[in-house]
Amino acid sequence: MASSRRNRSRSKRRSIYCPDHGTYLDSVSQKYPLYTTQAEHLQQRGLSRLRSLTVIAGYGTVPLTGEWLEAFWCDHCQETRWYHVHKTAANQYTLEVAPETLWMQASGVIQPTGNPTVSEFTRRQARQTQYQGIKDFRRIG
């Protein structure tokens, strides 16, 4: 009984506001967690040089807790923007527009240029909406 009362009084929305206008932002994507493979990134987040080198040497890839990429819709701006979100405390967040370099550190993100290990033929086949059959495999020459 006490837990149901507690759940009703708890806020259901994250308090994330537009850095430009101060209006509430609606999330329009999933959270894409961030990770790092470089000791410099850990040093920027407060770890000592020796400790960050030890952690990277031991684990290789380290998840960055409390940080992720997420897209939000602002009613005032009338546009969707991708932000780098930092959770600073319980239900408190800081936002900054996500730089391109950060996308390489995100987990589960599809690269806009495509997978570099996939051939052009496979990309073309994946974009195709109709089956062309044997015509796609005809010999050139």
Side-chain angles (χ1 to χ4, degrees):
M1 176 113 166
S3 67
S4 64
R5 235 187 349 242
R6 215 176 316 130
N7 287 339
R8 279 195 210 109
S9 65
R10 194 178 293 153
S11 174
K12 303 294 183 215
R13 299 176 86 174
R14 292 180 292 165
S15 58
I16 298 179
Y17 300 96
C18 179
D20 298 332
H21 306 105
T23 58
Y24 179 79
L25 293 175
D26 291 309
S27 176
V28 293
S29 76
Q30 68 184 45
K31 294 179 183 178
Y32 290 100
L34 298 175
Y35 65 92
T36 186
T37 56
Q38 297 177 6
E40 293 82 27
H41 295 149
L42 295 177
Q43 288 174 23
Q44 291 169 354
R45 286 158 178 82
L47 252 58
S48 69
R49 183 176 183 279
L50 181 61
R51 180 101 172 143
S52 59
L53 288 170
T54 306
V55 168
I56 292 296
Y59 294 105
T61 301
V62 180
L64 300 174
T65 56
E67 295 184 37
W68 63 89
L69 295 178
E70 191 172 355
F72 293 97
W73 169 261
C74 177
D75 278 334
H76 195 275
C77 302
Q78 290 293 306
E79 67 179 357
T80 298
R81 285 190 194 159
W82 284 92
Y83 289 101
H84 177 199
V85 183
H86 294 266
K87 185 172 185 174
T88 55
N91 209 23
Q92 292 183 349
Y93 306 89
T94 59
L95 295 178
E96 58 186 44
V97 176
E100 278 189 42
T101 56
L102 208 54
W103 285 98
M104 300 308 278
Q105 292 178 253
S107 171
V109 175
I110 298 173
Q111 295 177 350
T113 57
N115 186 340
T117 62
V118 174
S119 70
E120 182 57 38
F121 174 80
T122 306
R123 268 193 210 112
R124 192 172 57 245
Q125 293 302 309
R127 284 192 304 261
Q128 223 168 23
T129 57
Q130 296 177 347
Y131 177 67
Q132 299 294 323
I134 197 74
K135 287 194 287 183
D136 289 331
F137 298 95
R138 65 178 166 237
R139 190 172 179 167
I140 298 173

